[in-house]
Amino acid sequence: MPDSAPQQLLHLVIGGELLDLEHNTFKNLDDVEIVGLYPNYATAHAAWRAKAQSTVDNAQMRYFIVHLHRLLDPNQESKAR
């Protein structure tokens, strides 16, 4: 990979119906939707917003942005400082 490749801060957008609004527990894991994998927060946020707005009539439906780059390299935060 070339040294000039842009840094990828991978983000995953997922969503599904929750059991209740007090906890982030999905009603059925088989129905959790994987919206997509994105190279940065801005594109993940745009995808999250589109999915969240399309399901606004279902109060139990929630979408989340998972910061995969933090899971893949937990020391990344301290390296940036």
Side-chain angles (χ1 to χ4, degrees):
M1 184 185 319
D3 291 334
S4 63
Q7 183 181 21
Q8 292 182 346
L9 298 177
L10 296 176
H11 292 78
L12 174 67
V13 179
I14 62 170
E17 201 163 355
L18 300 180
L19 283 174
D20 61 59
L21 299 178
E22 299 296 318
H23 304 92
N24 293 335
T25 304
F26 291 108
K27 190 175 197 176
N28 183 350
L29 285 178
D30 291 333
D31 293 335
V32 171
E33 178 183 6
I34 298 174
V35 178
L37 184 64
Y38 301 92
N40 56 53
Y41 181 81
T43 55
H45 187 264
W48 168 84
R49 181 180 296 277
K51 291 304 288 188
Q53 288 178 343
S54 73
T55 60
V56 71
D57 292 336
N58 183 348
Q60 301 294 107
M61 188 69 77
R62 291 289 191 272
Y63 286 88
F64 301 92
I65 299 174
V66 180
H67 298 264
L68 289 181
H69 62 96
R70 292 181 184 166
L71 297 173
L72 295 171
D73 186 4
N75 295 321
Q76 184 176 26
E77 296 292 322
S78 59
K79 288 179 195 174
R81 292 180 188 160

